[in-house]
Amino acid sequence: MLRVGIVTISDRASQGVYEDRGGPAIREYLDDVLTCEYEADYRLIADEQPLIEATLIELADQSNCSLIVTTGGTGPALRDVTPEATTAVCTKLLPGFGELMRKVSLEKVPTAILSRQTAGIRGRSLMINLPGQPRAIRECLDGVFAAVPYCIELIGGPVFDTRPERLVAFRPRKS
């Protein structure tokens, strides 16, 4: 079964100042596009780099999540350290994910240039950093998710697919 780590990174949401909308938006997106059942491991944590790193490592190494999706902490504010934490724990970076997400977002808002989303691999886990707003989460995932099933397959994760009427997963043709 596909295991997915969903991590909301927000000081205020983790303190109960406001409701987390990013984590539920990721879950809603996955429910919409995946054809398979999946097990979600949800976390809501503060913008603390050591805590983010420890959470990502735990989800990858102990919980065996094939996909780990974070929301929040990707902007230029002093406490936005999600990309730094992700970079620190990944063995391979996949800069194309961040480049495409920024391109997609720039078509909507000029401030997308301030976003620092990234993606990388740790073991058999693909980690993707997303912005914090639900609309931006959906737009960014629509931009990159077609590559996610094949990427996870390439790193030794489970084979899964997307609903073709919603989003077509890309896999090279076998010769």
Side-chain angles (χ1 to χ4, degrees), residues 61-127:
D61 297 357
Q62 278 90 46
S63 296
N64 298 312
C65 292
S66 299
L67 176 62
I68 301 168
V69 187
T70 70
T71 176
T74 61
L78 294 178
R79 298 212 23 99
D80 289 338
V81 294
T82 304
E84 288 79 7
T86 302
T87 300
V89 303
C90 285
T91 54
K92 293 181 180 178
L93 295 179
L94 300 170
F97 278 81
E99 292 163 3
L100 183 53
M101 287 188 283
R102 277 184 292 282
K103 178 188 177 297
V104 166
S105 294
L106 276 168
E107 294 170 3
K108 310 290 183 187
V109 293
T111 54
I113 196 71
L114 301 175
S115 190
R116 302 178 310 116
Q117 297 105 298
T118 191
I121 295 168
R122 178 183 178 89
R124 293 186 172 165
S125 300
L126 169 62
M127 299 180 185

Side-chain angles (χ1 to χ4, degrees), residues 8-154:
T8 297
I9 300 158
S10 168
D11 287 332
R12 292 178 290 167
S14 69
Q15 296 166 355
V17 174
Y18 63 76
E19 182 182 358
D20 170 30
R21 294 183 359 199
I26 292 170
R27 180 101 191 209
E28 182 180 302
Y29 184 88
L30 295 174
D31 290 346
D32 187 37
V33 299
L34 293 177
T35 59
C36 65
E37 291 186 20
Y38 66 94
E39 185 176 334
D41 191 337
Y42 170 75
R43 309 291 175 88
L44 173 57
I45 61 174
D47 289 282
E48 298 288 345
Q49 187 168 341
L51 177 59
I52 298 167
E53 289 178 18
T55 300
L56 295 175
I57 290 169
E58 180 186 341
L59 289 170
D61 297 357
Q62 278 90 46
S63 296
N64 298 312
C65 292
S66 299
L67 176 62
I68 301 168
V69 187
T70 70
T71 176
T74 61
L78 294 178
R79 298 212 23 99
D80 289 338
V81 294
T82 304
E84 288 79 7
T86 302
T87 300
V89 303
C90 285
T91 54
K92 293 181 180 178
L93 295 179
L94 300 170
F97 278 81
E99 292 163 3
L100 183 53
M101 287 188 283
R102 277 184 292 282
K103 178 188 177 297
V104 166
S105 294
L106 276 168
E107 294 170 3
K108 310 290 183 187
V109 293
T111 54
I113 196 71
L114 301 175
S115 190
R116 302 178 310 116
Q117 297 105 298
T118 191
I121 295 168
R122 178 183 178 89
R124 293 186 172 165
S125 300
L126 169 62
M127 299 180 185
I128 303 173
N129 298 156
L130 297 170
Q133 295 300 316
R135 188 190 79 232
I137 288 168
R138 180 169 285 277
E139 291 166 358
C140 287
L141 284 173
D142 275 346
V144 300
F145 206 84
V148 169
Y150 184 56
C151 180
I152 290 174
E153 187 178 336
L154 287 173

